[in-house]
Structures are given as structure tokens and as C-alpha cells.
Amino acid sequence: MELVNRFKKTYNLEWVKLELLKTAFGKKDSYMGRKDPRLVMVWYFIVSLLPWFTFNQTILIGLLVYTIVTSLVSRVSPLIIGLLTIGVISEIIYIVALVYLFGGEWAAFSSLITFTMKITIMSIASIAAFASMDPEKLSDALLSFGVPAQFSFAVSYGYRMLPILLDEYQQIILSFRLRGKAPTNGGVLKWRTIYYYSKIVVKAFYPMMLNTAKKTRTTVEALEVKGFSYSLHDKEAKKQKLSHLKLSNQDYTFLVMSIGILLAIYFLGKYYPI
Amino acid sequence: MNQLSREEYSQSQKMMIFILAMSLFGLANLFTELLPEFVLGPVEISVSYLAFIPLSLVMLFHPLYAAVGASVGEIIFGDLLLGDFGGLGELEGFIEFTLAMYIAGLLVTNLRSKKQVGIAAIVGIGIDQMLSTIVDVGKVWVGIEEVEAVPGLPESILAIEGLSFVTEMIISGVIFGLIPTLYLIPRLYGKIEPLLGIKPREGRVKASMTEWMSVRFVILAIFLTFMGMVAEFMAEMDINFAVWEPEFLEQFGDGFIWLPISAAAIVFIVAVFTAIKWLGASSNQDKKGKSA
């Protein structure tokens, strides 16, 4: 089937790996990425919660435009934008189909659109805020808000181990493929090929689990030598870790600007409601 | 707790389990995140997660740390590192998945029994899917104001959700959950634990029932699940208010909407604080137990 061929061409493991590394380790020097992560976090919570307190479509459109512009300014990767667009479009198609099927009126359609707009604002805000932010900065912000230190450790660990894990998994899959034989005749809907690859994907996790277990032990032992689990509960260590978080002039400008824009959107909504 | 008995887990062993579950399920999530979905009408056929990884880890090791580790791995690798961090929405999935996996791990007493492993695997995935289906149906119910008014709509939503529940159970539950777990558990049992310096699990871990299933924990879990749902519903509440009780609204003004939402928010914040405090207390206990 054509779909499967296309899938095989685009979704080979090398491509996946490169794409992932590009997204995870891409340049984070963007507009939102330079801000204090705590401020960005607060901005996200405010912008994503605001839509739920209003039914005014002007305000919602204003917020939508605002979040879209912010995400454009912070240069979000096209992969993520693409995924979101597909999501929103399918949601709208779903809505239109539902309304059409059940012979609904404009009122039902309109409130459904309002609902979709709120959800969309929320996800675009999260993309604008977090997509271009260094994961470690984000985890520092979470730590300063009181999330357990294990989580921020996990982020740093994942950030560093991702390429190694991916490499290892790819190695195992490749060796499975070297030793195996892909079916020449795919069968109906290429089910034999799909079955073959699914089996490899699952089986490759067996050696992967054992290797990772070994690696994990080494890591934890090395961490414990440095007194890791004590530092997790130590207030002084946390303070030192977070000492680099400081609000700069740039952050204040951002704060004033966001408040100004949000107020402007609300005034616009109040005097020119749709 | 003067000396560590062999069935107990030390602080660093808990950490190892956490990191192991996190890296493995995180990696698997990176993978599934990029797999394409086949959409047939309203039903989509996709692999939503490779459930066999958290399932086997939860059965082989301490269920709580493996379950939390797997959920954290999903958030970090699948979302955060890809720049797809969902903020508030992650909370719901985290609670549902951790709870489901934890229960699955608790169910197993004998890892050599295929029947038990199989039942636990299916129950684990079932709980996760059921919770998310309930939340989804609730979302549509509350979110679309004219569910009852439009003939056939409630039935069709139930049908769609039921169908997606079934496909999820077949694909994620059986094909990528049950079967690989049954394949992996006999191979990993007794082999992977020594690599972490842990004695293979036999029966339930000793003295665990009272420790794990303390009343406080159960209440907290149920409470957090409930809060996850409230957080989800909170999001959709407004439309329901706008349409069902318009006069009511005019009478009290738009400000009235703040009432339920802020109430929910306050309860939520209290819940989070209790959880953090509780977690802090338990980890202090661990520390004391270890240093004593």
C-alpha cells in the first residue's frame, strides 16, 4: 500500500533520531527563551486560564492572536506547529460534521467554536512558553515553585541521556534487522511487514532493559558518592542551585508589555463585543 | 528499622527503579509520539503507548517508584524535551497513569504465574483507559451544552468513546501490553533485579500491604484522581453556565462564574500542598530510617 511505503521512507529510525535531537537540542536563544523561566511560567498560567473566565468572542480572538504572535516571535519548531494545526483542523472538521449531522443551529456551532478557541489558546500558550525554553531552565522554575527535586533531576538526566539511549536502541534494532529477514511479500495491507517491525520494536526492549538497568546502577552509585539524596532535601543546596534565577530589565519590560496587551484586549472586548 | 532487611528497598535502590522506569518508558514514548495514526472516521487506530514497559517494571520492582518513574519519563521525554509540554493538561494523565500502573503492580503476588501477570496487565491498562474515557465523556457532556437537546448525540458520543476504548484496549492493551509483558516477565524475572542489587520479588514485598495501602495513601489517591477530573471539568464549566442558566447569570453578573472556579482552585491548591507535605514527610521518614 502506498501509505506504508511513504511511512517507511519518512519514518526511518535515522530520521526520527535526527528530528528528535534537533527539537531537543536546537538553539534555544529565542524571545521567550531569554526570559526568566518563573516569569514565563506565570505568564503561561495567566494566559491559559484567562479564556475560561469569559464568553466574549472578541476577547478570545484577541487572546488567540496574541498567543499566536508570541509563539511566532519565539520561533517554535515547524514540527510542533504542524502537529497542532492538524489537531485544530481535525477538531473543527469534527465539530462541523457533528453539527451538520444532528442538524444543529448556529448557536450550537458558535458555542462549540468558542470552546475550541479556548482549548486552542491554552495549547498555543503552552507552546509559546515552553517550546523554546531550555528544559533545564524550565525544571529550575518548577523547582522554585516547589515541585520535588527528583523531577528537576530527571529533566537534567533525560536531557543528557537522550542521545545515548536513542543510539543504543537504534543499535539493537539494527542488529535485530541484520540477523532477521524482512518478509518479501507483505501480505494484505502489508500486515506481515508491520508485524515484523512491531515484533522487533518490542523485542529490542529486552536487551535495552538489561543494559539500562546496568547503566542506571552506575549512575546512581556515582550520584550517591557525591551525596545526591542528601542534597535533594537540603534547603541550602536548593538555594544555591536556584541562585542564577534573577529578574532583569528585559523581564520587567515583558511584564509591563504583557499586562498592557491583556488590558487592551479586555477593553477592546468590552466596547466592541461580537 | 535498625537494619535493612533484604526485601526492603534502600533510598538509592528506589532512585534506581525510578530512573530505570523513567528512561525506558521515556524512550518508548519518544518512539510512539512519532508513529502515525490511522484515522477511520471518528475512530483512530494508533499505538498510544508501549504499555509493556511500565507493566513489567511495575511487576518486577516496587510498584510505586516504577509507576511514578514511568509517568515522569512520559512527561519529560515525550513532552518536555520535544518542546510539547502541556502545562496543566499533563497533570490529568500523570495521575491516571500512575494510579493504574501502581494498582497493576500491587495485584501480582507470584511472577511465575502467567495468569496473574496477564490479569494484572489487562487490569492496569483497563483502569487507565477507563479513567480517561470517563474524563472524556464527562468533558463532552459538560462542554457541549445541548447534548440532550440534539437527538442521537449522546448515543453517538457514547458509541464513539466506547469504540475508541475497545480499539485502545486491543492495540495498546493486548498487542503492545499483555502479549509483550507475558513474553518479557519470565525472561527478566531474576535477571534484571541483581543488576540493580535488588533481590527478586517474591510474593508481595514484605510488610508492604500496610505500608503501601495505608488509608492515607488511598484517600490521597482517590482525592487526587477526583481533583484531576475537577481540573478537567473546571475547564469546561463556563459554557454549561452560560447556556443552562442565563437568567441566573444576569442576576448575579459574570462575576458569579468566579465562585465555582475559585472554589475548585482553592481545593486544588490545598490538595497539592497536602500531597507535597505528605511526600516530604514520607521521604523524611525514609531518610530517618536509612540513617538510623
Side-chain angles (χ1 to χ4, degrees), chain A residues 260-273:
Chain A
I261 291 174
L262 288 178
L263 282 179
I265 290 172
Y266 266 80
F267 274 115
L268 211 68
K270 204 169 173 203
Y271 293 112
Y272 303 99

Side-chain angles (χ1 to χ4, degrees), chain B residues 16 18 39 62 80-81 83 136-137 235 292:
Chain B
M16 283 178 207
F18 175 81
V39 182
H62 193 307
L80 212 105
L81 286 182
D136 278 356
V137 171

Side-chain angles (χ1 to χ4, degrees), chain A residues 3 7 11 13 16 20 23-24 44-45 52-53 55 80 102 108 111 115 118 154 162 205-206 209 213 216-217, chain B residues 16 22 30-31 34 36 38 53 81-82 86-88 145-146 150-151 153 156 188 191 195-196 235-236 238 261:
Chain A
L3 197 71
F7 166 69
Y11 285 87
L13 212 60
V16 172
L20 287 177
T23 327
Y44 162 71
F45 277 112
W52 305 105
F53 297 121
F55 317 112
I80 290 165
F102 297 107
S111 68
F115 179 66
K118 290 179 183 191
L162 178 68
F205 267 98
Y206 173 50
M209 274 172 162
T216 308
R217 184 174 189 180
Chain B
M16 283 178 207
M22 184 192 88
L30 275 182
F31 208 74
L34 289 152
F38 299 95
I53 294 164
L81 286 182
L82 291 187
L88 293 167
E145 67 286 355
E146 279 156 2
V150 185
L153 189 55
S156 67
L188 287 172
K191 238 184 239 169
L195 291 175
L196 298 184
E236 278 88 344
D238 60 288
I261 293 176

Side-chain angles (χ1 to χ4, degrees), chain A residues 29-32 67-76 132:
Chain A
D29 187 31
S30 65
Y31 178 67
M32 289 301 254
T67 46
I68 288 174
V69 169
T70 323
S71 69
L72 285 181
V73 167
S74 30
R75 266 177 290 162
V76 175
S132 56

